[in-house]
Amino acid sequence: MSARTLPLLFLNLGGEMLYILDQRLRAQSIPGEKARKVMNDIISTMFNRKFMEELFKPQELYSKKALRTVYDRLAHASIMRLNQASMDKLYDLMTMAFKYQVLLCPRPRDILLVTFNHLDAIKDFIYESPAILNQVDETFRQLIETYNCLPDGEFQLIRQTLLIFFQDMHIRVSIFLKDKVQNSNGRFVLPISGPVPWGTEVPGLIRIFNHKGVEVKRTEFTTAGNYVTPQREGSFELYGDRVLKLGTNMYSVSRPVETHMAGSSKNLASRAKENTVPNPLAKEELNFLARLLGGLDIQKPAGGETGFRLNLFTTDEEEEHAAQTRPEDLSYKVINIEATQEPGRRAELSRILGELEVAEPRPGSAEKGEDLLALMDGL
């Protein structure tokens, strides 16, 4: 397991979340000013400097539920609200999209290009907000500084860590099914044609060398796929052509997107067992969430602002039906972790909450400390 996986997982899933929210805000005809505020608030919170500092510290991945809690808070960082069924669907779409991208990456290192594609698109959402753009660019620079120097072996380990995280998730997504890149059992169809990884040759030739390293024979063979050599490598710099299209916005053309649970009763039973057995990492997850949530800058709506509910389904009836039919063990509930008997954890939470205290809040300003205190209480 790579200790450098978490930032890539978080940023790519966050990018997919923003693609989906942008598409649904447009589909529900949310007024432009409100839609921009939602996107700006979520992106500003997501790229909070302290939050990013914690995220980029080398650490192991934690459970799906722990990460899901962070995205739940992110999605509600503005005036928009999602109910349980819509939040479940949002998380399903996010995870399956990034899983598909990881599986199709030509080289393990190309996961970084996928991340850059997400960040490039996020910058397009906030092009009118220089302060937030600066936050995203700072994260861009952190990515380049942290990952560009890593060897290929470390990227292979990162890819393996991501695939282990996603391995039991086989949710059917309508876009993937219509494009015939996903089977009815929720598993993806991997292509056997197209560009080969940068720096490699098109298959079809076997070279034989003698003990002195001199080529003595060549044999050609026919391949089942239609492979081509890539014209150039994607840019790993702050600006440039990424070449790779994985990680770009597949919702830019509006299409209805549905999700369906896939898997045998045996698989569902194993998932139920996984979710009900006490988690031995619960204490570590509390530490992880305490540090991450300590860096989040959650905003409350100002006095004159009114919130609204976003529906990830076409109709309210579909949303209600999804909430009733989703298996209990596959629905992500609030995590309850008892930390009162852990002095070390209490000290960490007290430190974080102490930093959030404001002696004399300005009239009309968002009481961020109280909001985060309530957030901590919900863990």
Side-chain angles (χ1 to χ4, degrees), residues 228-242:
V228 295
T229 305
Q231 295 181 344
R232 61 189 181 283
E233 186 179 25
S235 171
F236 287 87
E237 301 304 321
L238 184 60
Y239 303 102
D241 183 3
R242 313 299 175 194

Side-chain angles (χ1 to χ4, degrees), residues 116 138-150:
F116 288 171
E138 184 57 37
T139 300
F140 238 126
R141 295 185 185 96
Q142 274 187 283
L143 280 169
I144 291 170
E145 181 182 335
T146 305
Y147 291 94
N148 275 11
C149 60
L150 294 183

Side-chain angles (χ1 to χ4, degrees), residues 73-227:
R73 302 308 176 191
L74 269 180
H76 294 92
S78 188
I79 56 176
M80 176 192 71
R81 293 295 174 261
L82 298 168
N83 71 14
Q84 181 72 34
S86 282
M87 192 65 216
D88 285 339
K89 179 174 179 179
L90 174 63
Y91 193 68
D92 288 345
L93 289 171
M94 291 159 50
T95 51
M96 291 307 289
F98 185 44
K99 177 181 180 178
Y100 177 68
Q101 292 156 14
V102 173
L103 283 170
L104 262 66
C105 270
R107 305 173 298 174
R109 182 176 294 274
D110 290 335
I111 292 171
L112 197 52
L113 291 178
V114 174
T115 311
F116 288 171
N117 275 335
H118 280 116
L119 265 61
D120 287 339
I122 289 171
K123 288 169 69 173
D124 288 339
F125 290 140
I126 49 162
Y127 68 93
E128 295 179 338
S129 305
I132 308 176
L133 268 173
N134 188 55
Q135 286 180 264
V136 180
D137 279 341
E138 184 57 37
T139 300
F140 238 126
R141 295 185 185 96
Q142 274 187 283
L143 280 169
I144 291 170
E145 181 182 335
T146 305
Y147 291 94
N148 275 11
C149 60
L150 294 183
D152 290 335
E154 182 66 25
F155 276 104
Q156 173 62 17
L157 194 58
I158 288 171
R159 182 177 185 271
Q160 205 65 31
T161 306
L162 288 170
L163 291 176
I164 290 170
F165 180 83
F166 289 126
Q167 67 180 351
D168 294 325
M169 305 184 76
H170 306 295
I171 298 156
R172 291 174 292 170
V173 179
S174 61
I175 285 181
F176 293 141
L177 292 169
K178 289 172 184 175
D179 291 344
K180 301 188 185 303
V181 298
Q182 189 180 32
N183 290 324
S184 58
N185 60 4
R187 297 181 184 274
F188 289 113
V189 179
L190 301 183
I192 57 170
S193 296
V196 296
W198 176 258
T200 63
E201 297 180 13
V202 172
L205 178 65
I206 300 173
R207 296 184 179 91
I208 300 173
F209 298 83
N210 62 18
H211 65 285
K212 295 181 180 180
V214 178
E215 183 180 332
V216 295
K217 186 181 178 182
R218 289 190 175 194
T219 304
E220 294 186 356
F221 63 94
T222 304
T223 61
N226 182 23
Y227 298 100

